Amino acid sequence: MATAPARPLAELTVRGIILGGLITILFTAANVYLGLKVGLTFATSIPAAVISMAILRFLPGASILENNIVQTIASAAGTLAAIIFVLPGLILVGWWTGFPYWTTVLVCAIGGILGVMLSVPLRRALVTGSDLPYPEGVAAAEVLRVGAGSAEGAEENAKGLRVIVLGSLVSAGFALLAAMKVAAAEAAKNFRLGGGATGVSTSYSMALIGVGHLVGLSVGAAMFFGMIIAWGGLMPYLTHGMTGDLDTVVSATFRSQVRFIGAGTIGVAAIWSLLRILGPIVGGVRSAMAASRARQSGETLPLTERDLPIGIVAGVVAFMLIPIAWLLWNFSAGGPVHEYPLAVIGGTTLYILIVGVLIAAICGYMAGLIGASNSPVSGVGILAVLGAALLLVAIFGHSTDPARTNALIAYALFTTAIVFSVATISNDNLQDLKTGQLVGATPWKQQVALVIGVIFGSLVIPIVLDLLKNTLGFVGMPNAGPNALSAPQAALISSLAKGVLGGDIDWYLIGSGALIGLVVVAIDEILGRTGKMRLPPLAVGMGIYLPMSLTLLIPVGAVVGHFYEKWAKRTANPDFAQRMGVLAATGLIVGESLFGVVFAGIVAWVNRTSPIPPIDAPLAVVGESFLGVAMWIAPLLFAGLIALLYARTRSLVSSAPVPPQAEPEVETPASFR
């Protein structure tokens, strides 16, 4: 009697799309807040996969492929939210007073969809046809496999969800106490050093501990090295002999000089990253073209090799150029761009397409090499804004009219925002496709799912941006409150556009930073050849550029994560133990970030009648006289809660069932090794 063919596993389902959309909304809000606060975002694939499996296991017919679609949709949150590295710059230069909803949605959606399409032809070149490690994609695949494999896997996922919730409650709880003024939110001390001035500062942010755990010891050490360069070397040197109020001297010197040196270092690091990967990208594209010719000769493709048809991809890319040109036209109406509208807008559209193609390949390769979280997308944004600004200078020159110059600055930032949307999604797309390859997913369904995730995220981002702008504000904008978010990349990118188009950029500072970058690149290459721990140049640049209050705890978190990882490797189930550490760190980020969004909503509600002065601490239960006590409570409580979270995580790991001993390895297809 013939056996009925096996029923195909559910993959792209309505319930999966809805669940993925809800997780996307949640993580997008968290990532927008985190990115504006510290200039970093976190990858959402693994926590999304854990949440998905914990929920869908109660529903009939759930499969590993359906869970993969959920994490694919939700992964857009960790990437598209990086648009906040550019768009707030339009507020900082005074061009926008808020974020126009549909304009912001279209910038994110059109750029994101273009990023998906441009990276589709690279899948065979950089995923199936390369040996790139794709660390986050492989890790997400392992999580999905474990969850789908056994009852023990279901128990592990339940524990993983418990750890995320616990980490979120711990970080949100501390943030609540800080908002109540019971515990200090930060500590800072400026002092004289060798005839100059410098300082030490930190914010008691559990999200930074989580970020440090996720980026690892190498990146944490590089950021610490950058801080030493900035605050131990540059600050005392640049402030030597200065008089006046100490806090003012330190703050002004850092903002006007040190951060531009950091920008030079970041720029060199980004260019070096691009140069290193051009060869492999060219080779990968050649391989993809050879595979395409083989398919056209009659080769039948299995489901796991079916991308969106190249005709659809090309058609969507061509169609996207129309709304891009319309956005540019509408944005620049009444300004100097309309003196040569066809040439400038047509040239800008072509610039976005050409740079988008390059960025899709570059970001895809970098994500495969070092992971989407560590990929220097902000460095790509710096190069993109410099390119856009220099093109405008070539056409319009330097103007003495401030209004005319400001219009061109805004146009350069708007152009960069579209390019950045392409970069963020292409940085993530191939990572998801690697996960799909390892679990046997259908590529075109994942590519459709990522487009859906882009749309979900695009609809949420302007709402969160407006809420944070209207309540907390951004450092450097008029009427920014004491809780203002630093928006570090947006401030840097807008400053670069201002300097290039205004003709007053201090190239000496940027050149000095570039020289530091070259030295760091050389050190990193030497360490790499000796097999020692690397010193990522981009992380060094970020350590120089970002305020110490936003970076000091990242190396601390990296050390905490390092010792946890060492313990995890000695356990009976090291892979599970390491995943639980990642989920604990993710919980720290999610809890504080979501509380930040909720707190912004509370501030907006309390100030809805526009009191003067505005109420910026609506949850405070103690007065300024309690500050001395709060300064002592903060570090003790902070360290105690971190220790409690990791102790509880270790306890959950230790109580997990020991996996059965693996059978002797048999020959496995290369793509699953």
Side-chain angles (χ1 to χ4, degrees), residues 644-660:
L644 174 66
L645 173 63
Y646 278 92
R648 182 57 181 158
T649 303
R650 290 176 60 163
S651 175
L652 288 170
V653 169
S654 299
S655 64
V658 178

Side-chain angles (χ1 to χ4, degrees), residues 240-259:
H240 186 79
M242 286 188 180
T243 58
D245 179 70
L246 182 60
D247 293 341
T248 301
V249 167
V250 170
S251 176
T253 302
F254 181 80
R255 286 198 316 269
S256 63
Q257 298 185 63
V258 173
R259 71 173 185 168

